[in-house]
Amino acid sequence: MNKMFQKMFHIMMYCVVIIGLMTAQTPAAPRTLVFTTLDAPPFIGKNLPDGGFYTELSREAFQRVGYTLEVEFLAWNRAFELAKQGDYDGMLGLYYTEQRAKDFIYTESIYDDEVVFFSRKGEAITYTTLRDLTPYTIG
């Protein structure tokens, strides 16, 4: 009877191990995030290698924490509104404003750039507000 008990015990343990293996959760596949953005060369662009350095840097950062990042390039207004509505997981390259911070959570800045105006030598253009630039062609 002792041998029969041992045999039954081994069969039960085998079944427990098999059932445990069958019900164990497998490691989750990397989650894919889909962000939107606009074409803004040389930082971000659908025709740039790897989508531009900003896109490549973002992909690498997400990959290091177990996420795959896909990026869809859209017109600015559409990209912004669809990300705001939650149709996308996020948006790349969105400048911080208090108004946008009501709808988005920002990361620490990964790249800082400075937006400036410049003019031809000899032209003295001064301004205090953007409205002061109305008489000029800017492009």
Side-chain angles (χ1 to χ4, degrees):
M1 191 127 157
N2 196 10
K3 281 195 175 225
M4 189 169 169
F5 177 77
Q6 285 180 344
K7 224 178 201 185
M8 291 297 283
F9 180 78
H10 286 278
I11 289 172
M12 284 180 13
M13 290 309 294
Y14 181 76
C15 289
V16 168
V17 169
I18 295 298
I19 291 169
L21 290 173
M22 289 171 51
T23 60
Q25 292 186 3
T26 57
R31 181 169 174 229
T32 299
L33 298 172
V34 183
F35 277 33
T36 186
T37 192
L38 70 159
D39 274 306
F43 309 105
I44 303 171
K46 64 183 168 191
N47 296 322
L48 296 173
D50 297 315
F53 84 89
Y54 195 85
T55 306
E56 184 178 11
L57 182 63
S58 298
R59 275 196 187 105
E60 179 66 25
F62 278 111
Q63 183 180 8
R64 289 183 182 203
V65 292
Y67 291 86
T68 299
L69 178 64
E70 293 179 7
V71 178
E72 294 187 19
F73 294 88
L74 302 172
W76 164 253
N77 286 338
R78 186 162 188 228
F80 179 79
E81 287 302 321
L82 291 175
K84 183 177 170 182
Q85 293 171 16
D87 293 342
Y88 288 89
D89 295 307
M91 186 171 181
L92 291 180
L94 189 62
Y95 283 102
Y96 178 87
T97 67
E98 287 185 23
Q99 181 64 34
R100 291 177 188 160
K102 294 176 184 174
D103 297 305
F104 293 94
I105 298 170
Y106 283 82
T107 65
E108 292 292 321
S109 178
I110 61 172
Y111 177 81
D112 290 323
D113 64 346
E114 188 174 349
V115 178
V116 298
F117 290 111
F118 58 93
S119 66
R120 288 187 296 256
K121 285 184 178 183
E123 291 192 27
I125 298 174
T126 59
Y127 68 97
T128 306
T129 68
L130 290 178
R131 185 172 298 283
D132 297 339
L133 298 171
T134 303
Y136 303 100
T137 300
I138 299 173

